[in-house]
Amino acid sequence: MTTSDLSHLIKAYDVRGTVPDQLNAEVTRAIGAAFAQAVVLPEAPVAGGDVAARPSVVVGHDMRDSGPELVDAFAAGLADAGVDVTRIGLCSTDGLYHASGVLGVPGAMFTASHNPAAYNGIKLCRAGARPVGQDSGLAEVRRLAEGFLDDGLPSAVGERGVVSDREMLADYAAFLRDLVDLSGIRPLKVVVDAGNGMGGYTVPAVLGTGAGLPALPLDVVPLYFELDGTFPNHEANPLDPKNLVDLQAAVVEHGADLGLAFDGDADRCFVVDEQGAPVSPSAITALVGLREVGKELEAGRTPTVIHNLITSRAVPDFLGAAGARTVRTRVGHSFIKAQMADNDAVFGGEHSAHYYFRDFFFADTGMLAAMHVLAALGTQPHPMSALGEMYEPYVASGEINSTVADVPAARARVVEAYVTQQGAGPVDVDELDGLTVSHWDSHPQWWFNLRASNTEPLLRLNVEAADQDILEKVRDDVLSLVRASDGPASGTTTSEERA
């Protein structure tokens, strides 16, 4: 009978918890052994007596102090199962995806993204950076790991896997440089806020000369490039407006053309224009998406772009007008990645500033998105504010979290008002992910999505409208229904899609 419960640690999309009470060497070794049995060995090629054909996994970690010890424990669990392990050391999450893609092996990235210093976690992927989520192997990893913690780890195989080290940063930088040529853009000054996260390690290599690549016409002003998993300056989550304040001020102070902010593991990138104003991730999705779509159309192919259901309507509007097919999906990187692969999509974007590229193994990379923004800005004369405004024709509320005592009852009040009674006029309704109610095909134009958190008594509201007055009316009306019996609730916040 299983008594260990890792549900607090192994979530829908990744592994994440506090060190050492939730995530420690013992637990991590069990997860490594479980990953070997659930994912690595079933997909491994038949060795045929060739030792070199043994299954292999690539593992990296961010700047958190707990990373190296956890990596070693995870590697031991894999090696006991006869799996070779290549440790690539410090890397961004997209650096790990690059390694998994080019080496053609499963991977594990030790990171807790923007979570506080006490946390660490693991993002797992199959060979070629394909996602491992709740429905694609993570539930089985959890089940096996719980059993190993209760009953003991499996006995080591006769020939344990070999653990070795390899440097991949230069290969990663060169790979990205081949995808977006920045050598011919006009000179740009860019402030980069790494938030003491892995952007401080990767930006000098990709945008500078740190990996031995030629200099680009970029004047990079570094902000918080020192790797420090305690995040002494601000949380490494650029979606929270308070974490952009320093970047915004620095862009104006230095007269920069734009600012870039990366999260802790540098797989997300947020853009600030030359006036210090944030550019919405939906606008960046449209801008980068049009660049990727253009390449496909020039090659005579009809491109597909994936976007989640709470990105702006501007995304399908612009991309559809350009000749692309757009596919709307639920929130969450594992869903986006699956849809990217299933549809052979050239690009995908989320409200959370995750951007996915077919050219990057259908995986998300903040650095490649940043390079596309620099290329778009540097190949025309207009400022970043003009580009951002071009792709933001509508107004949005941002994600508003409401803590409620009875989530089903609060949702039911909204359904009664907007669906059953249809008091707001003709609407389209779907439940792809939460409740989406749209009045976009009639005037006034608006839509909203109301989603429940997977882990907390929260309802998350996103509203978009054609003008500010309508936005405020719909937003306030839905919030009054949601919070009707719960008293004061939380204000506007922006959250990661895993919640």
Side-chain angles (χ1 to χ4, degrees):
M1 177 179 176
T2 298
T3 58
S4 295
D5 182 4
L6 297 181
S7 60
H8 59 288
L9 179 67
I10 302 180
K11 309 293 180 62
Y13 311 117
D14 60 18
V15 179
R16 200 167 302 199
T18 52
V19 178
D21 55 316
Q22 294 179 333
L23 187 62
N24 52 47
E26 179 188 11
V27 171
T28 304
R29 186 164 186 161
I31 294 174
F35 185 52
Q37 289 199 12
V39 175
V40 181
L41 295 174
E43 290 195 350
V46 176
D50 183 358
V51 175
R54 280 189 315 217
S56 180
V57 170
V58 60
V59 184
H61 64 87
D62 69 11
M63 65 288 150
R64 294 167 190 271
D65 289 343
S66 58
E69 178 187 7
L70 297 179
V71 165
D72 288 347
F74 186 82
L78 288 165
D80 283 347
V83 177
D84 289 346
V85 179
T86 301
R87 297 180 302 200
I88 62 172
L90 283 169
C91 66
S92 58
T93 290
D94 64 330
L96 186 280
Y97 292 152
H98 162 262
S100 173
V102 298
L103 299 177
V105 299
M109 175 65 189
F110 279 75
T111 180
S113 186
H114 66 275
N115 283 87
Y119 284 78
N120 212 326
I122 318 170
K123 294 181 179 180
L124 300 170
C125 65
R126 296 175 184 270
R130 290 179 295 137
V132 173
Q134 185 70 24
D135 299 325
S136 52
L138 200 53
E140 180 66 4
V141 169
R142 172 188 157 189
R143 186 188 70 79
L144 289 171
E146 289 172 341
F148 295 155
L149 290 171
D150 287 339
D151 304 326
L153 291 165
S155 299
V157 298
E159 188 170 355
R160 294 181 78 249
V162 175
V163 180
S164 61
D165 297 300
R166 178 170 178 172
E167 169 60 52
M168 295 286 290
L169 179 62
D171 292 341
Y172 160 79
F175 186 90
L176 292 179
R177 286 272 193 107
D178 284 343
L179 294 179
V180 179
D181 183 8
L182 295 173
S183 61
I185 64 173
R186 62 183 169 93
L188 296 174
K189 178 179 284 190
V190 51
V191 180
V192 178
D193 185 345
N196 298 110
M198 291 311 301
Y201 184 72
T202 57
V203 168
V206 179
L207 301 184
T209 58
L213 298 174
L216 297 170
L218 297 172
D219 179 4
V220 177
V221 179
L223 198 60
Y224 311 139
F225 271 34
E226 305 78 18
L227 300 183
D228 189 338
T230 68
F231 306 115
N233 294 289
H234 61 72
E235 184 185 46
N237 179 14
L239 282 187
D240 189 333
K242 71 176 181 289
N243 298 322
L244 291 178
V245 171
D246 291 352
L247 175 63
Q248 292 169 304
V251 166
V252 175
E253 176 189 350
H254 290 277
D257 295 286
L258 77 164
L260 302 172
F262 291 92
D263 65 343
D265 59 335
D267 63 346
R268 290 187 292 145
C269 179
F270 203 93
V271 179
V272 168
D273 69 25
E274 81 285 355
Q275 299 172 6
V279 181
S280 83
S282 286
I284 299 301
T285 297
L287 183 155
V288 178
L290 286 172
R291 287 177 53 84
E292 293 287 66
V293 162
K295 292 190 300 185
E296 288 291 284
L297 293 172
E298 288 177 5
R301 298 185 290 264
T302 299
T304 297
V305 173
I306 309 296
H307 64 96
N308 73 21
L309 54 79
I310 55 178
T311 53
S312 170
R313 285 296 296 259
V315 171
D317 286 355
F318 280 110
L319 296 173
R325 170 178 170 260
T326 60
V327 175
R328 177 174 172 267
T329 186
R330 59 184 300 185
V331 175
H333 75 264
S334 61
F335 302 115
I336 288 270
K337 286 179 180 176
Q339 289 292 324
M340 286 283 296
D342 290 347
N343 290 276
D344 192 30
V346 67
F347 178 68
E350 291 198 272
H351 74 294
S352 55
H354 281 281
Y355 305 105
Y356 306 77
F357 297 83
R358 185 176 64 198
D359 288 346
F360 197 77
F361 317 105
F362 298 110
D364 45 327
T365 162
M367 187 65 72
L368 184 54
M371 294 172 73
H372 273 286
V373 172
L374 291 168
L377 180 60
T379 52
Q380 51 83 62
H382 303 293
M384 190 69 229
S385 57
L387 287 185
E389 184 178 357
M390 183 185 306
Y391 299 111
E392 291 187 68
Y394 312 126
V395 290
S397 66
E399 191 154 90
I400 304 170
N401 289 341
S402 297
T403 302
V404 294
D406 188 338
V407 169
R411 184 184 187 279
R413 291 192 292 271
V414 177
V415 171
E416 174 66 21
Y418 278 89
V419 180
T420 305
Q421 296 180 4
Q422 293 194 24
V427 295
D428 293 320
V429 180
D430 74 61
E431 296 185 82
L432 174 63
D433 189 357
L435 172 71
T436 300
V437 179
S438 175
H439 195 267
W440 204 256
D441 294 331
S442 305
H443 289 282
Q445 290 179 300
W446 55 264
W447 65 265
F448 71 80
N449 173 268
L450 190 67
R451 297 162 42 245
S453 166
N454 291 328
T455 57
E456 302 173 87
L458 294 177
L459 280 171
R460 309 190 188 281
L461 174 67
N462 284 268
V463 185
E464 185 174 48
D467 64 67
Q468 187 67 30
D469 288 344
I470 296 301
L471 170 75
E472 292 176 1
K473 182 181 185 303
V474 175
R475 178 198 66 197
D476 294 347
D477 186 49
V478 176
L479 286 177
S480 69
L481 292 166
V482 168
R483 301 172 177 178
S485 303
D486 291 278
S490 61
T492 302
T493 58
T494 314
S495 59
E496 283 251 44
E497 71 272 11
R498 68 173 179 277

